[in-house]
Amino acid sequence: MGNERLRGAMTSAEISKNSLAEKLDVGPKTVERWLTQDRRPHPGIRLKVARILGCEETYLWPELLAGARSSAASIAEIVQIWPTRSEVPHDVWRSLMRQAKENIEVLVYAGGFLVESLDFVNVVREKSKAGAEIRILLGEGDSANVRARAREEGLPSLPQRCHSTLEYLWETAQLPRVDIRTHHTVLYNSIYRFDESMLVNTHSYGAYAAKSPVQHLQQVQGGHLFSYYHDSFEAVWATAEPAVL
């Protein structure tokens, strides 16, 4: 479809394709493509077109509003950011776990703090009984990527910590709606989903996860961030294997 708003604005301003092209120092065929193929000019040119025609850019190219709405929605998804995971209050973790009714999803390598400090085994047990779907992805301790991360972080115990977390959680593996798998992927982000809330712990080369930033996201209609990270979780889940102790 062509851009009828642009065509109408040019007609109202009594500006031809050739005249507009001359004012913008572009070829007439470029203007023709804007009109007939609904091509969108670069931002600087768009602004000049809008000024020449006496219109708002978003009137001539309403799709720009959709982009603005998407950006605003994604910003609205960010509840809070902590500079390190260790600075996320335990009350935040416990509150999100307590409020989750339908889905709890975890993607980590070891995630030992969950079982050691946040009583996650009992959380899984209670939420399973209440009907929640729980999916947990732990790093396969013997995999090349886990061992590489251990070297990069200077944390030689990481492979064993992966096994240890699985041992803690093993008693929940046969509970209804609980699925624990192990993965071999490079871990770019640790992801903790609680219904429509999510904590994303980013990773940087040579830095412990506990010393890396955490975003608290809340799913918002039209937003991009929550679904972006959830898609990543699903991609890892698709490659994972049932956990074996």
Side-chain angles (χ1 to χ4, degrees), residues 82-86 153 201-204 207-214:
W82 291 273
T84 69
R85 195 192 70 204
S86 58
E153 294 185 358
N201 186 188
T202 60
H203 297 286
S204 297
Y208 296 160
K211 299 297 184 183
S212 300
V214 171

Side-chain angles (χ1 to χ4, degrees), residues 16 47 54 58 83 88 97-100 107 113 119 133 163 169 184-185 200 220:
S16 67
L47 181 59
T58 51
V88 181
M97 291 176 184
R98 184 171 58 251
Q99 293 172 19
L107 167 61
F113 73 101
D119 199 23
E133 299 284 341
H163 292 300
L169 288 167
H184 304 74
T185 63
V200 179
V220 172

Side-chain angles (χ1 to χ4, degrees), residues 148-168:
R149 180 63 57 85
R151 292 192 298 271
E152 293 162 4
E153 294 185 358
L155 189 64
S157 64
L158 180 60
Q160 181 53 44
R161 287 181 63 78
C162 294
H163 292 300
S164 177
T165 301
L166 178 58
E167 289 176 353
Y168 272 108

Side-chain angles (χ1 to χ4, degrees), residues 13-26:
E14 299 182 346
I15 294 179
S16 67
K17 287 183 291 186
N18 288 344
S19 176
L20 182 60
E22 185 177 347
K23 290 176 182 294
L24 298 169
D25 195 23
V26 300

Side-chain angles (χ1 to χ4, degrees), residues 187-200:
L187 190 66
Y188 298 102
N189 301 280
S190 296
I191 297 173
Y192 310 86
R193 180 203 176 181
F194 309 98
D195 287 348
E196 296 180 348
S197 294
M198 181 184 290
L199 297 178
V200 179

Side-chain angles (χ1 to χ4, degrees), residues 1-8 10 15-53 60-63:
M1 294 179 63
N3 189 331
E4 295 304 320
R5 290 191 179 189
L6 178 58
R7 189 186 303 277
M10 290 171 59
I15 294 179
S16 67
K17 287 183 291 186
N18 288 344
S19 176
L20 182 60
E22 185 177 347
K23 290 176 182 294
L24 298 169
D25 195 23
V26 300
K29 289 185 177 180
T30 298
V31 178
E32 179 67 21
R33 285 192 288 270
W34 298 344
L35 291 167
T36 61
Q37 300 178 30
D38 205 14
R39 297 280 186 90
R40 194 190 319 169
H42 294 300
I45 299 294
R46 285 201 308 266
L47 181 59
K48 291 179 180 179
V49 172
R51 287 174 176 170
I52 291 169
L53 299 180
L60 297 172
W61 294 281
E63 63 271 22

